[in-house]
Amino acid sequence: MAVARTRSVALVGVTGHTVEVEADVGNGLAGIHLIGLPDTALSEARDRVRSAVVNSTYPWPDARIIVSLFPASLPKRGSQFDLAIAVAILGAAGVVPAERVGETFFLGELGLDGRIRPVRGVLPSVLGAAKHGDATVIVPSANSAEAALVPDVKVIPVASLRQLVEWLRKGEEGPEPQVEEYVEPSSTTTDPAIDLADVVGQPVARRALEVCAAGGHNVWMLGPPGTGKTMLAERLPTLLPDLELDHALEVTAIHSVAGVLPANAPMMSRPPFVSPHHTATAAAIIGGGSTIVRPGAVSLAHRGVLFMDEAPEFPRHVLDALRQPLESGRVTVSRSAGSVTFPARFMLVLAANPCPCAQSEDQGETCKCSPTVRRRYLGRLSGPLLDRVDMKVTVARASRRELMADRQFAESSATVAERVLVARERAAKRLAGTPWRTNAEIPSSVLHSDYRPSPKAMKPMTSCLDSGTLTARGLDRAVRVSWTLADLADKDCPEEDETTAALHFWLGVTS
């Protein structure tokens, strides 16, 4: 009897931390003891591992077994440690060579019959293992495509504990294991049934959506029902370019941890679109959980679009919780067991009716809401939240003549996406050497020191700032939008007309 050591990965948020799993099989009262701050799911691994080993026709040590997970101060949650614990026990009992398992990472949940079941968070776990360089990772067969997305890591998919043990026993003389090779993700197209050309009668809103996509800006659309607010929001992802590799890995890792990664698409190469219902809680939007902290809608929309339809119907404290991630691009969820930080850099799209009855007076209908009711309804969207929205657009109902006239000018998503891509390339070239890639990401200090437009171009904005119409934060938002308008117009710096148009976009609802 001896001590054997394997390795696994513990996830804290979307960050993987190496965990050494040590098994000591020695004299004493027969039983298995887990130490190292395990949670309930991990404590139940004792019964799963024993049944899996016995049902795989391997002898279970009739001795005292102590399994230690180091570092002990790191919280360990979930069932992904089952495979590492089983291999460590088998190594200590002499069933498999202990020297073959010491430097290998093992991820997977064991079934009672010895099958290796898929687990959440394989991609961030393999990314954590890759920090050691030339790592070998054993993963469930169902997670092999997801694990193979990480380059320079040897991924060995296995379907059962018996298959893994027999391969470990063969040593170097055995056949080479099936290793999944990294494949560059292909560009996935969006649903062809969703196209910007479907939205007619709203030329200003379509232009605002193009600017929003080109600069990564937030937008608020105000208008009666039936004007196309939801259609516009659903078509915003069709204007965005494919995610870069590092961004795609970030997005895929978040969805893997949340357990919502599509089985047929291990790499998410398109910006995500998340649209929570207005009954969603703060934990569902921001993230949380009593034991295991899961990412919320703001993190699932990372590098994509978060659409909040009927925004005034959301609880006010949920809406105000968006203010911090909108500024910092990340969200920190604090619980008694510790704090977890998730990335949350998304484009926020708000849609709202002008009042609860949603009747349009410009079409001859009678609104049943008093001015007080209207103010109270839109007042659910607090000033500090709207101050963080770059563009505000009023969407009015279009007449039949306007619909027919605008139909010939409505461009397809592919056409607009080409202009958006060119504008983003111009912005990326200007921001080369910085950690930012879109105009919306530029911090205020850098915006006014390195990218401030000329005094003549700034005059409309500074006049609104002096009159109190524009806040200091609103000034920053308008300057960023003016840079995006200049990128779309193929100009090296915003001119007076771009800054004026940006100001109108920011004041669109109230002007």
Side-chain angles (χ1 to χ4, degrees):
M1 301 299 179
V3 175
R5 181 182 296 106
T6 63
R7 294 194 291 186
S8 189
V9 179
L11 287 177
V12 179
V14 291
T15 304
H17 300 270
T18 300
V19 173
E20 290 189 0
V21 181
E22 296 177 310
D24 177 23
V25 178
N27 298 324
L29 186 63
I32 178 172
H33 307 277
L34 283 176
I35 59 176
L37 207 60
D39 70 341
T40 302
L42 183 52
S43 297
E44 294 173 349
R46 294 173 294 192
D47 299 322
R48 291 195 299 270
V49 168
R50 189 182 190 281
S51 296
V53 171
V54 172
N55 291 326
S56 298
T57 68
Y58 298 113
W60 181 259
D62 188 15
R64 185 193 62 169
I65 303 173
I66 298 178
V67 178
S68 172
L69 292 87
F70 175 84
S73 59
L74 180 68
K76 303 162 191 71
R77 303 181 177 93
S79 57
Q80 68 268 22
F81 298 96
D82 287 4
L83 190 58
I85 293 173
V87 172
I89 293 175
L90 293 175
V95 178
V96 297
E99 63 275 7
R100 290 209 67 194
V101 301
E103 299 299 323
T104 304
F105 290 86
F106 295 87
L107 302 170
E109 176 183 342
L110 286 174
L112 299 184
D113 57 354
R115 287 180 298 173
I116 301 178
R117 304 180 186 274
V119 293
R120 294 181 175 184
V122 166
L123 178 59
S125 298
V126 177
L127 287 171
K131 299 175 183 177
H132 295 267
D134 297 329
T136 300
V137 185
I138 309 294
V139 300
S141 297
N143 294 127
S144 60
E146 179 183 348
L149 297 174
V150 182
D152 302 325
V153 173
K154 187 177 182 180
V155 177
I156 302 176
V158 290
S160 66
L161 180 61
R162 184 170 185 83
Q163 176 188 359
L164 174 61
V165 171
E166 292 305 313
W167 176 74
L168 291 173
R169 280 178 164 179
K170 291 176 183 178
E172 299 300 332
E173 298 178 357
E176 284 292 325
Q178 180 183 359
V179 180
E180 296 284 347
E181 298 292 339
Y182 169 74
V183 180
E184 186 74 20
S186 60
S187 173
T188 57
T189 59
T190 54
D191 187 355
I194 297 180
D195 196 283
L196 188 62
D198 300 333
V199 185
V200 295
Q202 302 295 346
V204 175
R206 292 199 307 268
R207 173 61 174 173
L209 214 65
E210 178 181 350
V211 177
C212 182
H217 304 291
N218 308 317
V219 63
W220 177 30
M221 294 182 288
L222 179 68
T227 54
K229 300 188 298 295
T230 302
M231 291 181 64
L232 286 164
E234 291 175 344
R235 283 149 182 77
L236 178 55
T238 66
L239 309 182
L240 300 175
D242 290 340
L243 297 173
E244 299 179 12
L245 179 58
D246 54 342
H247 290 172
L249 289 175
E250 282 182 345
V251 173
T252 306
I254 295 171
H255 284 71
S256 177
V257 169
V260 295
L261 187 65
N264 58 346
M267 172 70 87
M268 296 186 63
S269 59
R270 291 292 304 163
F273 178 81
V274 180
S275 178
H277 194 260
H278 64 261
T279 58
T281 62
I285 300 296
I286 301 301
S290 57
T291 55
I292 300 178
V293 178
R294 300 292 186 194
V298 295
S299 297
L300 295 176
H302 181 59
R303 302 296 177 185
V305 179
L306 176 64
F307 175 48
M308 305 188 78
D309 199 6
E310 305 294 343
E313 299 296 338
F314 283 83
R316 181 160 183 167
H317 71 279
V318 173
L319 293 172
D320 286 340
L322 298 173
R323 289 152 55 179
Q324 186 264 338
L326 283 174
E327 285 291 328
S328 62
R330 61 182 181 274
V331 60
T332 300
V333 182
S334 298
R335 295 292 184 268
S336 58
S339 299
V340 178
T341 300
F342 294 106
R345 186 167 297 282
F346 56 91
M347 297 165 57
L348 177 64
V349 180
L350 300 173
N353 295 322
C355 62
C357 75
Q359 297 297 329
S360 178
E361 293 184 341
D362 59 352
Q363 297 296 323
E365 299 174 355
T366 303
C367 177
K368 303 178 180 63
C369 302
S370 65
T372 302
V373 172
R374 288 189 173 192
R375 286 195 299 269
R376 186 182 299 117
Y377 182 73
L378 293 180
R380 298 176 186 177
L381 301 176
S382 66
L385 173 63
L386 295 181
D387 208 33
R388 289 168 169 82
V389 176
D390 303 351
M391 305 171 62
K392 303 179 178 73
V393 182
T394 300
V395 184
R397 288 182 179 175
S399 63
R400 182 173 63 89
R401 179 176 297 178
E402 291 172 336
L403 292 174
M404 296 299 295
D406 186 55
R407 192 175 298 276
Q408 58 181 328
F409 298 105
E411 298 177 303
S412 66
S413 293
T415 301
V416 179
E418 291 179 1
R419 295 199 298 267
V420 168
L421 181 60
V422 172
R424 286 211 171 196
E425 289 175 348
R426 286 182 58 85
K429 183 178 180 181
R430 182 174 63 253
L431 299 173
T434 70
W436 316 295
R437 306 188 188 184
T438 60
N439 295 319
E441 301 176 15
I442 306 175
S444 176
S445 58
V446 180
L447 185 68
H448 291 286
S449 61
D450 298 339
Y451 303 104
R452 187 179 178 88
S454 64
K456 181 181 179 181
M458 288 291 295
K459 186 176 180 180
M461 300 184 189
T462 54
S463 299
C464 290
L465 184 65
D466 294 337
S467 64
T469 308
L470 198 64
T471 64
R473 184 185 288 116
L475 175 66
D476 295 343
R477 304 282 174 181
V479 172
R480 293 188 182 100
V481 173
S482 66
W483 269 109
T484 302
L485 291 171
D487 290 334
L488 287 169
D490 196 16
K491 296 180 181 179
D492 295 330
C493 188
E495 298 179 1
E496 188 172 1
D497 54 345
E498 278 85 28
T499 57
T500 302
L503 188 60
H504 288 167
F505 271 129
W506 198 88
L507 301 172
V509 171
T510 56
S511 60

